[in-house]
């Protein structure tokens, strides 16, 4: 079973992805963490990733496809995976998760997202970068959501509730 969790930064998608992965006994792949760990390496690829992240821009979609494809080919993902943070572009959606069973979109108003992010304090969480990431996010994610909806795998979840409320709402839609 392959599940993807999408949502603006601050929507709690990493928390929910972890809960869901534990619940289903599947590994989780957090694309943001995965890219941040590569960004720490001094390699040319690492530098390219770090620069895009610091600007609040998506890392090159083809580079991400390449990196994720080799990661997902590993044995540990054989039974399935909960992917946190992909697909972010239409090209990624079509390339990477053609066999995705469910996509959960955690829906959250921007002002709530900004409040939550201001409290987080990650290196790429400066005010300007937050605003830019959210604006870019909505621009990019629209076609991705339309695509997942058209193939019948999209579930939109209200992410404004508590962690438990949001998780219960995800669980109730797993089997549908
Ligand atoms: P996140 O951890 O989801 O907040 O993502 C942090 C940053 O990682 C984003 O601003 C992007 O630069 C990069 N990123 C995360 N997921 C992707 C993806 N699927 N494709 C390209 N870049 C990504």
């Amino acid at each position: 079973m392959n599940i993807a969790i999408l949502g603006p930064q601050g929507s709690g998608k990493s928390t929910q992805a972890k809960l869901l992965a534990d619940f289903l006994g599947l590994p989780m792949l957090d694309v943001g963490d995965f890219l941040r760990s590569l960004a720490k390496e001094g390699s040319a690829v690492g530098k390219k990733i770090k620069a895009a992240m610091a600007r609040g821009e998506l890392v090159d979609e083809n580079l991400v496809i390449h990196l994720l494809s080799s990661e997902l080919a590993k044995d540990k993902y054989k039974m399935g995976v909960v992917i946190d943070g992909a697909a972010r572009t239409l090209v990624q959606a079509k390339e990477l998760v053609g066999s995705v069973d469910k996509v959960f979109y955690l829906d959250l108003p921007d002002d709530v997202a900004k409040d939550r992010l201001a409290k987080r304090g990650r290196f790429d969480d400066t005010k300007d970068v937050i605003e830019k990431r959210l604006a870019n996010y909505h621009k990019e994610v629209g076609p991705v959501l339309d695509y997942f909806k058209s193939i019948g795998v999209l579930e939109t979840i209200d992410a404004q509730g508590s962690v438990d409320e949001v998780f219960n709402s995800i669980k109730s839609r797993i089997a549908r």
Side-chain angles (χ1 to χ4, degrees), residues 7 9 13-14 30-33 35-36 49 52-54 56-61 64 68 84-89 92 96 120 122 124 133:
Q9 291 78 17
K13 70 186 159 65
S14 295
D30 179 331
V31 181
D33 274 357
L35 294 174
R36 268 187 293 279
I49 293 171
M53 290 178 110
E57 287 168 12
L58 284 181
V59 177
D60 176 79
E61 61 184 358
V64 174
L68 285 185
D84 169 1
R88 292 277 287 266
T89 68
Q92 282 182 3
L96 274 179
R120 191 168 70 172
R122 217 171 58 186
D124 55 346
R133 262 199 329 241

Side-chain angles (χ1 to χ4, degrees), residues 72-174:
L72 286 169
K74 290 182 180 168
D75 252 16
K76 62 176 176 176
Y77 303 111
K78 228 170 30 195
M79 302 303 288
V81 62
V82 177
I83 301 175
D84 169 1
R88 292 277 287 266
T89 68
L90 195 52
V91 173
Q92 282 182 3
K94 291 182 174 167
E95 280 280 333
L96 274 179
V97 278
S99 62
V100 76
D101 300 291
K102 274 274 184 237
V103 176
F104 289 103
Y105 177 64
L106 303 189
D107 195 20
L108 192 74
D110 276 3
D111 52 341
V112 182
K114 280 179 204 164
D115 276 1
R116 288 187 182 178
L117 287 172
K119 292 173 190 139
R120 191 168 70 172
R122 217 171 58 186
F123 89 81
D124 55 346
D125 277 347
T126 62
K127 191 168 175 287
D128 285 355
V129 170
I130 288 173
E131 303 237 331
K132 187 158 178 193
R133 262 199 329 241
L134 282 172
N136 283 347
Y137 190 81
H138 293 301
K139 202 168 67 193
E140 298 261 1
V141 84
V144 173
L145 297 181
D146 289 346
Y147 171 70
F148 286 134
K149 197 171 179 183
S150 76
I151 61 170
V153 297
L154 184 70
E155 297 281 356
T156 299
I157 304 281
D158 178 0
Q160 287 191 81
S162 68
V163 170
D164 281 353
E165 282 164 349
V166 175
F167 187 50
N168 283 333
S169 148
I170 290 176
K171 274 193 294 191
S172 73
R173 299 209 223 168
I174 273 285

Side-chain angles (χ1 to χ4, degrees), residues 38-66:
L38 294 170
K40 279 193 204 131
E41 296 172 5
S43 65
V45 165
K47 282 180 185 149
K48 201 172 161 185
I49 293 171
K50 187 164 188 179
M53 290 178 110
R55 287 193 302 263
E57 287 168 12
L58 284 181
V59 177
D60 176 79
E61 61 184 358
N62 292 310
L63 176 61
V64 174
I65 287 169
H66 171 76

